Amino acid sequence: MKDLIQNILDLAKLKRLEYADIRIIRRQNEEIEVKNGKVEALIHDEDFGFGIRVLFHGAWGFACSSKVTKREMETVFGKALKIAKASSKAKGEKVYFSSSSPVIDRYKTLVSMDPFETKSETKLHLLLKADEIIRRNKKVKISEAFMGSYKTEKTFASTEGSYIEQEIVECGAGIAATAIEGSEVQVRSYPNSFRGNFATQGYEWIEKLAIETQAERIAEEASQLLYAKPCPSKITTLILDNSQLALQIHESIGHPIELDRILGTEASYAGTSFLKPEMVGHFKYASELVNVFADATYPGGLGTFGYDDEGTKAHRVPIISQGVLVNLLTSRETAHRLGKESNGTMRADGWNRIPLIRMTNINLEPGDWTLEQMIADTEEGLFLKTNRSWSIDDKRINFQFGTEIGWEIKNGKLGEMVKNPTYTGITPTFWNSCDAIANRDDWQMWGTPNCGKGEPGQVAHVGHGAAPARFRNVQVGVMKE
Amino acid sequence: MFGRGSTLRLLKNVVQESPADQTEAILLTEDSSLTRFTRSAIHQHVAERNRAVILRVILGKKIAVVTTHMGQPSSLRKSLRKAISLAQVQPPNDEFISLPKPKSISDIKTYFENINLLTPNRKVKMIKHLLRRIDEKKCKASGAFSNGIVEMAVVNSLGIEAYQKFSDLSLHLIVENEKSSGYAGFVGRDPDQLDVDSLAQEAMGKISKEEPAQIEPGEYEVILESYAVSELLSFLGYLGFHALAVQEGRSFFSNRFGEKMVDEKVTIYDDGFDPQGLEVPFDFEGIPKKKVTFFDQGVAKEVTYDSFTAGREGRESTGHGLIAPNTAGPIPINLFMEKGGSSLKEMIQSIRKGIYVTRFHYTNVVEPMKAVITGMTRDGTFLIEGGEIRRPVKNLRFTESILKALSQVSAISKERKVCSEGTVYSRRFVTGTVAPAIKVDGFHFSGVSSL
């Protein structure tokens, strides 16, 4: 493999390119889905290919192929160069790409049990068992259990002399119960909606989730939701559990702080951001309680890695300090806009995609409260748990979320269950209304394996650490009955 | 590209070598390019050559699927062995009846040779021309221009041998000035149909020098352009127009067939052979596509099936199978809404006070059985007063039942557009929805985007 890579780097030098890199990636995915006692899907996917990125006269070119041979690599290199040459005729500002010292290193996710070494029978047994427990509840019409294991082996090499090999292992699992009666459909899931919780860990992570122990509870909650009262429509105090808060962080902090989005390179698809580079250092994003880090080094986080896809080592950087925006997610091409160096967030969804600025683990630091204290301290409000739907505008200002379940809070105590809860707000107003964050005992990492961005579409695996938090004066109950 | 002969040979060899009771092999190849521009300059230009072989094996009623991107015979054999080993360890799925048997597929043209003329240089020239038009109006543009050639082949051990080659191209464009933005999009199979000048004109037609007004959320009469309507139709397709959702009792169609659910002016169907859309002659199980009408003059009529959901009811697939194992159901991908008799101008003139919506952004389901979704308006939202478009307004959030909206349709345009968001994550298979503009007498906006 090294010879194949060196051949391309030699060609790049021969053509006097400003910069070139190559990534060769082998990726294995195994996904198992059980529904209503039957194996709905048992998939093994193996993907292998390479991508070449070249910088010529201040313009990028990228080409890739799933055929990993010397001849194909040379053809693809020629194509990338042809693209860069063509694009240089319609480029705007010349690409500024900061130089970097060569890195030669290896990184591997630390796992105790490789999920690809765990027997399929063991995995199926666990999923079928959890599914069977859910189905004992007669109101539940759809029981589901899911498990996914992912292994990425990638080699990155650049004309700067970097040669980095990484092996990243991820896995996760989850269960869901759907209760249906007439036209009422209610879902509860564990540990999170949309397939569960994921981490850069081995099969020990799935064992720790103990999905079968929560099957009865979620089935019961789903059936109770059929008869719960609708979420009231009002402005009130809102307490979010840590999994819903993780998605709130994702959509209303994680995406707006992507500097490529701020500079407009996602304008044609995912949108831009209400932030501007000049707001860094003084914009009051949130209340003083709020401290957020982008941390690609957090052990086990789904956004944890050794190096990003342009050879920058994983960073831990403050993003919001005591409520003030202090940094953005950057790359080697964009960081100079802030007078800084890249904080290592460029990642690609496989060999056939270019790296983009992606969230790593965007973590809200824990506060001083316990969840119980927070509820006890709330005279009137709602406690919402587990995401069901999300939507935010193209500048990340106006958001609306729905959760699977909620409870009224009255006089410091949890009251009646409510169904179809929704809440909506304006990003900085909402974050500035945060007046309590739970402590480390309630703080947890959540893996988001479905973060979409870019054209052609890319899906990133990112993480969010969060503890339950309280927000004041929030509009809840958006639905019209 | 592999070509028909090589593709079918490759897949037949794998299927013949399989020791499974039934085997299906799908090949998808892609040779594509995508060029993105923002603030009137190209910032991303990529090309991809990819192939994937998807093997589905059945041992009795045990099913497993293995995908590989390595096309050598040795890799395919390894994948076949892996699939067999995965199938062996699982319990049987009693509901599985059989892979489908072959059916005659009509020959249609889905590939246009001139797609090969879209070289990097040619595309850059076209984009530069487009950007010049927009610069002349002192506006900036962002967008993406994508073109590709895709081969799709399905072979199974019951005799199915289907192959089709597709060309496709899409260009979507956002034009903006300091106050507002406008959108236009094109998707098609024939590059000769792309007219970048008219696209530029359409998007620039939404630009205003006026500051967008902030209007109060609430219920308004609306004109939804084709782009917005196509998004609503896609959600209906995903939520309820297919057999799996009905069988599981989570479709809005459940127990309501034969009932008038939306306005009688509304007819929505799926047709893979209608040349006004992006034709696809057969599904990912190699079964020809049947026309399926979901709403016939407002009445809930029928849904789509793949072989699995059809087997459950002892009927035949309608040719809507997606790539195995498809746990989402046989979601329709060639949606059409029947056109009406109004012009867009007439529709606007009929509104005393309302909102004109060009497109939606980041829509998501709030309540599936009522088809309630939420999302934002984007790139061309205007206040209509006294039958005229008065001024741009700040983007609005809507939270509304699509079924309720369709039950209040009072006019449908006679013009329709093919709309598409382009590629789906990870795999290139461009699909299109053919939608008219509609006038809805009551549409609920629940918020406004403003700092």
Side-chain angles (χ1 to χ4, degrees), chain A residues 148-448:
Chain A
S149 308
Y150 312 93
K151 185 184 282 183
T152 305
E153 297 158 87
K154 56 181 167 184
T155 304
F156 166 89
S158 73
T159 46
E160 292 168 331
S162 287
Y163 193 92
I164 300 166
E165 293 170 287
Q166 299 192 80
E167 181 184 291
I168 295 169
V169 176
E170 304 158 311
C171 63
I175 50 175
T178 304
I180 303 175
E181 193 168 82
S183 62
E184 194 70 60
V185 178
Q186 293 295 336
V187 184
R188 279 297 282 140
S189 55
Y190 169 83
N192 205 356
S193 47
F194 306 105
R195 297 187 155 193
N197 197 6
F198 297 80
T200 51
Q201 293 196 46
Y203 194 73
E204 65 277 8
W205 168 250
I206 287 171
E207 288 188 336
K208 199 174 153 193
L209 291 173
I211 52 172
E212 73 283 9
T213 64
Q214 302 299 317
E216 188 179 345
R217 176 181 63 81
I218 62 157
E220 181 55 28
E221 285 180 354
S223 59
Q224 285 176 12
L225 277 167
L226 293 173
Y227 311 106
K229 66 179 190 181
C231 176
S233 179
K234 60 181 174 180
I235 291 171
T236 191
T237 297
L238 179 66
I239 298 177
L240 297 178
D241 82 318
N242 49 24
S243 68
Q244 172 56 32
L245 192 58
L247 195 64
Q248 178 78 49
I249 294 165
H250 180 95
E251 301 291 0
S252 67
I253 294 178
H255 278 305
I257 60 171
E258 296 162 344
L259 185 49
D260 57 350
R261 176 191 281 272
I262 291 169
L263 297 175
T265 55
E266 287 298 319
S268 65
Y269 180 61
T272 57
S273 172
F274 68 96
L275 297 174
K276 292 186 170 59
E278 54 269 29
M279 291 161 86
V280 173
H282 60 85
F283 177 64
K284 183 81 175 14
Y285 206 116
S287 72
E288 286 180 0
L289 296 178
V290 175
N291 292 286
V292 174
F293 281 80
D295 187 357
T297 69
Y298 192 88
L302 194 64
T304 300
F305 49 83
Y307 293 85
D308 77 354
D309 287 334
E310 43 185 34
T312 304
K313 200 169 173 58
H315 276 57
R316 179 177 193 268
V317 292
I319 296 294
I320 295 173
S321 292
Q322 295 182 331
V324 176
L325 179 72
V326 294
N327 210 340
L328 302 168
L329 302 179
T330 65
S331 62
R332 290 174 61 181
E333 185 180 341
T334 58
H336 72 98
R337 306 268 187 157
L338 302 179
K340 295 182 179 187
E341 291 192 350
S342 168
N343 49 36
T345 67
M346 286 288 273
R347 287 194 292 157
D349 181 12
W351 55 265
N352 55 346
R353 297 288 184 266
I354 56 160
L356 301 172
I357 291 178
R358 304 309 304 250
M359 288 174 234
T360 55
N361 301 299
I362 309 300
N363 299 341
L364 173 69
E365 292 292 289
D368 299 327
W369 296 67
T370 65
L371 177 60
E372 291 71 27
Q373 285 170 342
M374 215 182 286
I375 292 168
D377 184 61
T378 304
E379 197 172 314
E380 189 269 328
L382 277 181
F383 174 50
L384 304 187
K385 211 170 171 180
T386 318
N387 180 263
R388 191 173 177 185
S389 73
W390 64 97
S391 171
I392 190 162
D393 69 44
D394 59 320
K395 291 192 167 45
R396 302 274 150 178
I397 298 171
N398 179 309
F399 62 79
Q400 181 171 313
F401 290 95
T403 63
E404 288 182 352
I405 194 166
W407 290 268
E408 287 186 322
I409 303 171
K410 278 191 177 154
N411 301 318
K413 287 188 178 144
L414 285 187
E416 279 190 81
M417 182 186 283
V418 296
K419 68 179 179 184
N420 304 327
T422 52
Y423 68 96
T424 185
I426 299 295
T427 294
T429 311
F430 179 80
W431 281 105
N432 274 286
S433 78
C434 178
D435 74 344
I437 301 173
N439 64 27
R440 193 159 288 278
D441 293 343
D442 282 314
W443 192 92
Q444 193 183 337
M445 281 299 295
W446 293 95
T448 303

Side-chain angles (χ1 to χ4, degrees), chain B residues 37-41 126-143 171-177 180 182-184 196-205 207:
Chain B
F37 46 96
T38 190
R39 297 181 182 173
S40 294
M126 290 168 76
I127 292 170
K128 278 177 81 173
H129 172 78
L130 177 73
L131 298 179
R132 262 197 307 274
R133 288 280 324 264
I134 292 159
D135 281 349
E136 282 164 12
K137 300 286 178 190
K138 303 202 184 315
C139 294
K140 294 288 179 196
S142 58
L171 201 166
H172 58 262
L173 174 68
I174 297 170
V175 176
E176 59 186 327
N177 62 10
S180 60
Y183 177 83
V196 292
D197 287 323
S198 66
L199 268 191
Q201 198 174 347
E202 182 187 337
M204 285 191 294
I207 293 294

Side-chain angles (χ1 to χ4, degrees), chain A residues 53-75:
Chain A
R53 190 171 69 142
V54 303
L55 186 59
F56 176 84
H57 285 189
W60 288 113
F62 175 84
C64 60
S65 172
S66 59
K67 197 173 168 186
V68 187
T69 63
K70 186 172 180 235
R71 184 183 286 182
E72 179 75 351
M73 281 180 158
E74 288 172 356
T75 305

